[in-house]
């Protein structure tokens, strides 16, 4: 009888350690969950694919406006890394219990462009000043590119000139213009460069002094179960190799 009990205990102990092994193995293969501002989604998708090839580590991407993602994180969304399109929200997360202190970093700086895809003549600042009608921008309360758009138009004394169609994020704003639902608007320059049909005469790159710099920052989240793996991905994101790629994609 005692032998059977000992054998049963041994089996239970063996199963326990086997379960721990499986959990550890599952953790090793768990993807890094990244919440990223919509303007950077396509670039991050390419970067993440390259990283997976090099490291074997998978990256799971969720995209929305920075404001929307910020609210999701505050309400417990299980992300490992937050890539905002501004400094403010990354800083707020870092300073709260939701972020890791000292982990905030800059990964890109965005540029804003005035886009009129169906314009026949060269698009420039005069085109913007003479434009009238519906005008697409991202929601300034949710999207840093929308806030930059508002700042730039106010600096040019054009804020009251247009009838606005606001996208929930800069990607939706881009879609409004691309689809023809809105003739013109302000979008991320990096988005335009991803368009294979883009012509140089269709857009005007706004001078950076018209708005606050669109400094895009990220922060490691306290909820990350494997922060060292997330940090390795962060190191890759800010490496010279990736930063050179981002400059080609329209970021500063």
């Amino acid at each position: 009888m005692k032998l059977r009990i000992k054998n049963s205990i041994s089996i239970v102990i063996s199963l326990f350690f086997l379960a721990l092994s499986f959990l550890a193995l599952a953790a090793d293969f768990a993807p890094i969950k990244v919440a990223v501002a919509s303007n950077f989604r396509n670039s991050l998708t390419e970067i993440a694919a390259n990283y997976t090839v090099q490291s074997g580590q998978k990256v799971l991407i969720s995209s929305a406006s920075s404001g929307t993602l910020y609210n999701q994180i505050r309400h417990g969304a299980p992300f490992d890394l937050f890539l905002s399109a501004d400094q403010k929200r990354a800083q707020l997360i870092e300073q709260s219990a939701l972020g890791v202190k000292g982990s905030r970093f800059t990964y890109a700086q965005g540029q804003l462009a005035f886009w009129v895809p169906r314009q026949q003549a060269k698009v420039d600042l005069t085109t913007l000043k003479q434009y009238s009608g519906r005008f697409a921008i991202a929601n300034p309360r949710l999207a840093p590119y929308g806030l930059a758009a508002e700042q730039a138009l106010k600096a040019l004394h054009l804020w009251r000139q247009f009838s606005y169609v606001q996208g929930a994020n800069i990607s939706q704003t881009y879609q409004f213009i691309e689809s023809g639902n809105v003739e013109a608007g302000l979008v991320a320059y990096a988005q335009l460069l991803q368009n294979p049909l883009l012509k140089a005469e269709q857009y005007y790159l706004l001078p950076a002094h018209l708005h606050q710099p669109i400094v895009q920052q990220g922060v490691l989240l306290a909820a990350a179960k494997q922060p060292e793996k997330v940090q390795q991905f962060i190191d890759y994101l800010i490496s010279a190799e990736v930063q050179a790629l981002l400059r080609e994609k329209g970021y500063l």
Side-chain angles (χ1 to χ4, degrees), residues 79-80 181:
F79 297 119
D80 301 315
N181 289 328

Side-chain angles (χ1 to χ4, degrees), residues 217-251:
Q217 292 195 333
V219 61
L220 174 62
L221 299 178
K225 291 183 171 54
Q226 297 189 93
E228 67 285 348
K229 289 198 171 184
V230 183
Q231 186 59 54
Q232 288 170 6
F233 180 65
I234 292 172
D235 293 342
Y236 178 72
L237 184 59
I238 61 177
S239 67
E241 172 191 349
V242 173
Q243 289 299 304
L245 174 66
L246 292 180
R247 283 192 291 274
E248 293 177 4
K249 291 183 174 295
Y251 292 98

